[in-house]
Amino acid sequence: MVPPSPVPITGQTLVVLMIGMEKAFLFGIQPYLWGDAMKLVVAACLMPAAWRGVRAVERMSSDGRADAKSALRHNDMMPRQC
């Protein structure tokens, strides 16, 4: 057990001191890396489709079309493969 310190130490530093840097990385950071990478890929694939949707809505409002179904049938609204 680590005795209390008069200098405030963050939790991460304390964990590294108690179990070592390798185990702290292995159990504290590594499990989240794959999930973060997958979220990055999904966001990168969905962003172009989202911008196409924004442009279609802008066109719809500037053209005076009030029918949302006609805008959804527009070719720019179709999602593309990543």
Side-chain angles (χ1 to χ4, degrees), residues 19-59:
I19 65 173
M21 182 62 136
E22 184 178 343
K23 285 184 182 179
F25 177 79
L26 184 65
F27 297 115
I29 295 174
Q30 189 180 15
Y32 299 101
L33 291 179
W34 286 111
D36 288 345
M38 293 303 295
K39 287 188 281 186
L40 181 66
V41 168
V42 169
C45 289
L46 292 179
M47 208 57 194
W51 276 114
R52 281 192 299 275
V54 167
R55 279 192 236 108
V57 169
E58 287 175 348
R59 262 196 317 268

Side-chain angles (χ1 to χ4, degrees), residues 54-67 71:
V54 167
R55 279 192 236 108
V57 169
E58 287 175 348
R59 262 196 317 268
M60 187 176 73
S61 65
S62 67
D63 291 347
R65 287 190 283 173
D67 185 16

Side-chain angles (χ1 to χ4, degrees), residues 62-75:
S62 67
D63 291 347
R65 287 190 283 173
D67 185 16
K69 288 183 181 178
S70 64
L72 290 176
R73 279 184 262 145
H74 195 273
N75 193 21

